[in-house]
Amino acid sequence: MSIARQASEITLPAVNNGWHTVLQFLCSQFPFISEAVWRERIAKGKVHWFNGEAITEHTPFLASKRLCYYREVAAEPVIPFAHHILYQDPHIIVVDKPHFLPVTPGGDYVNECLLARLKHDTGIDDVVPVHRLDRDTAGLVLFSVNAASRAAYYQLFQQAQIIKHYQAVAPLSPEAQHCALPKQWQVANRIEKSQPRFINAIVPGPVNAVSDISLSKRDQRHGLFMLTPHSGKTHQLRLHMLSLGMPILHDNYYPELKPKQAVDFTKPLQLLAQQLCFTDPLNHSKRVFQSKRCLSLPPT
């Protein structure tokens, strides 16, 4: 059993949807965790209010109150790849994340995530990711370590004031096998949630996702691409490459969702968040951070 070292937080909804107790809410919010498991966790003090006050299985539901709980998994995978802190100051940390490592706890991962590693490395508890990368994607992640300046860095992403450059490797479409280099595309469409809920899909409707994609190098079968997203939809680059007929190499979600299985560390998703560029909101200096990782065409 792997138990999170630090509590996760959830704010109870402002509108009570018929829950008489906190236990009832937890059972409805997390349907894959049995009521017996929640009762056991509550009895052992693993669920409590944000102020540390314990709850019982009879504690009434209190709208908008913050609740803490400790995530547990039976067997947590160990990710045998290192992260690297590229930059740190009193406000931010920039980290180079390896493939396979989640940024925050989720699913089968409670302690083996970039956030937990950073807290351990730095001794700073108030570390918060300003944006996210998929677990399968490697590259740069920006963290805030100062609550007073955190909103300013969040706004960089919310207002699209950060330029992000990615690398990807993908099998070539027939068109891309013979085009002049560099070949460029701009993909603009609408991305919405699909089923199951952790994947997305391109759907009809007003554009909400735009990416610039450039093929810079190729061999007979694969190409090396540079990608610049101008919006931040989940799996945007993966879907936009798929829309060009060139799904990213070793993608377990697109074009077909593969059954869950043991992680194959020899086949990382060939997507890398290679560069972050922005004007620092505090001192207005130009910031350019570059991953030390690099993708290359597979051996032929």
Side-chain angles (χ1 to χ4, degrees):
M1 177 70 69
S2 185
I3 303 173
R5 300 184 188 98
Q6 293 196 337
S8 298
E9 298 175 18
I10 187 170
T11 300
L12 275 57
V15 177
N16 189 333
N17 194 24
W19 305 294
H20 297 293
T21 64
V22 174
L23 174 61
Q24 287 182 342
F25 166 76
L26 289 170
C27 291
S28 67
Q29 182 74 15
F30 302 98
F32 298 109
I33 301 175
S34 71
E35 180 176 335
V37 168
W38 281 120
R39 287 180 181 274
E40 180 182 4
R41 291 184 185 180
I42 290 170
K44 291 182 177 180
K46 296 178 182 178
V47 185
H48 57 79
W49 295 121
F50 183 76
N51 64 3
E53 179 186 352
I55 72 165
T56 73
E57 61 186 69
H58 304 296
T59 298
F61 177 94
L62 298 175
S64 301
K65 194 163 183 179
R66 293 169 73 185
L67 189 70
C68 295
Y69 64 96
Y70 291 82
R71 299 186 66 254
E72 299 178 353
V73 293
E76 182 175 16
V78 175
I79 308 303
F81 304 111
H83 64 282
H84 302 285
I85 296 177
L86 300 183
Y87 176 82
Q88 182 174 354
D89 67 23
H91 299 279
I92 59 172
I93 299 177
V94 180
V95 189
D96 206 353
K97 183 185 88 68
H99 288 103
F100 303 107
L101 184 70
V103 173
T104 57
D108 294 334
Y109 300 86
V110 294
N111 296 312
E112 191 66 334
C113 66
L114 187 56
L115 179 61
R117 287 188 182 187
L118 273 188
K119 290 182 178 181
H120 178 268
D121 289 352
T122 65
I124 302 172
D125 284 334
D126 191 16
V127 182
V128 178
V130 181
H131 66 120
R132 305 295 174 95
L133 285 183
D134 296 336
R135 178 171 63 87
D136 297 330
T137 304
L140 302 183
V141 186
L142 178 67
F143 286 82
S144 163
V145 293
N146 189 320
S149 61
R150 187 162 295 151
Y153 290 97
Y154 275 132
Q155 287 176 3
L156 292 175
F157 287 89
Q158 293 168 353
Q159 299 174 4
Q161 294 177 348
I162 280 195
I163 301 173
K164 297 175 285 183
H165 297 296
Y166 289 71
Q167 275 189 330
V169 175
L172 293 169
S173 67
E175 174 201 5
Q177 288 176 350
H178 305 289
C179 65
L181 298 183
K183 170 66 174 177
Q184 298 177 337
W185 299 264
Q186 184 173 83
V187 182
N189 49 36
R190 185 168 189 83
I191 293 176
E192 296 287 358
K193 288 291 184 185
S194 186
Q195 290 295 328
R197 61 184 177 84
F198 54 83
I199 66 172
N200 280 8
I202 295 172
V203 299
V207 168
N208 65 359
V210 179
S211 302
D212 288 327
I213 298 173
S214 175
L215 172 60
S216 59
K217 187 177 180 181
R218 69 182 174 209
D219 59 20
Q220 292 182 339
R221 296 182 57 197
H222 296 92
L224 179 65
F225 296 82
M226 303 301 297
L227 309 94
T228 302
H230 299 291
S231 46
K233 291 297 180 180
T234 300
H235 298 165
Q236 174 175 321
L237 296 177
R238 296 162 77 162
L239 285 164
H240 282 180
M241 286 295 295
L242 175 63
S243 73
L244 296 176
M246 296 180 286
I248 296 173
L249 189 62
H250 305 319
D251 193 335
N252 290 322
Y253 286 3
Y254 309 100
E256 179 183 0
L257 179 62
K258 295 181 175 59
K260 186 175 180 179
Q261 54 192 342
V263 178
D264 185 350
F265 292 126
T266 68
K267 294 182 177 180
L269 176 72
Q270 291 297 282
L271 182 62
L272 170 68
Q274 189 180 47
Q275 190 178 84
L276 287 177
C277 309
F278 59 91
T279 299
D280 192 286
L282 304 184
N283 60 24
H284 307 294
S285 63
K286 181 70 173 179
R287 301 280 201 179
V288 179
F289 297 104
Q290 186 84 20
S291 172
K292 295 187 181 300
R293 306 174 195 275
C294 190
L295 300 183
S296 58
L297 295 174
T300 55

